[in-house]
Amino acid sequence: ANMILLTHNMMVSPMKEASKSVPLKIEAEEVQELEKEFNLDFLVNIIDRLDWAGFLEAAAILNQQGLPSSTEEIDKTNEESMRKLHHALMEVDVVTGALVCTETGRRFPIAGGIPNMLLNQDEL
């Protein structure tokens, strides 16, 4: 399993006090880059489903620079820029670290690329 930015972008805090529209903050300890097959059609179709601001924030934490500041700026016909987007979304894997609920401060550890989002009994 991989904790890639595409996966991160679809996640929300399970904390009942937290709004479901606020992205989880990434605290990365170990990050690896894994080559994955480039699929332009998939990328084009997923762009509008992303929380772009949340993606850019997470990408910056993981030192992924030079991404368009809005989805309107994406040139879907420019293969080089689409490959850069593919790399940031699909190939940067947080192996160890944590996801943090920005509203409650609750940390969810990431081990082996898998975030543990289970709540304690008193948090249910």
Side-chain angles (χ1 to χ4, degrees):
N2 303 110
M3 183 61 237
I4 57 175
L5 290 184
L6 176 62
T7 306
H8 169 263
N9 198 264
M10 305 293 170
M11 298 178 78
V12 295
S13 174
M15 300 298 290
K16 61 184 173 221
E17 306 89 348
S19 121
K20 300 304 175 202
S21 61
V22 179
L24 294 156
K25 180 175 180 251
I26 295 175
E27 291 179 356
E29 293 169 14
E30 181 188 350
V31 176
Q32 67 181 3
E33 297 190 4
L34 305 169
E35 196 170 318
K36 300 221 176 99
E37 184 180 343
F38 177 69
N39 183 330
L40 181 60
D41 291 336
F42 174 78
L43 271 182
V44 167
N45 288 320
I46 201 77
I47 287 170
D48 291 332
R49 297 183 188 153
L50 295 173
D51 165 5
W52 194 257
F55 166 62
L56 289 179
E57 192 176 309
I61 289 169
L62 300 179
N63 297 316
Q64 299 302 303
Q65 307 300 325
L67 296 164
S69 58
S70 70
T71 54
E72 291 77 30
E73 292 179 26
I74 299 170
D75 179 357
K76 296 172 183 169
T77 64
N78 181 323
E79 185 173 333
E80 184 182 341
S81 66
M82 292 303 285
R83 283 189 179 275
K84 184 177 266 193
L85 176 58
H86 163 81
H87 177 73
L89 267 176
M90 308 292 294
E91 296 182 331
V92 181
D93 177 27
V94 179
V95 180
T96 58
L99 297 176
V100 182
C101 175
T102 54
E103 294 185 329
T104 65
R106 172 70 152 82
R107 297 176 87 250
F108 300 93
I110 301 169
I114 301 170
N116 179 350
M117 304 301 288
L118 296 176
L119 297 175
N120 297 323
Q121 194 64 38
D122 61 348
E123 295 173 310
L124 298 175

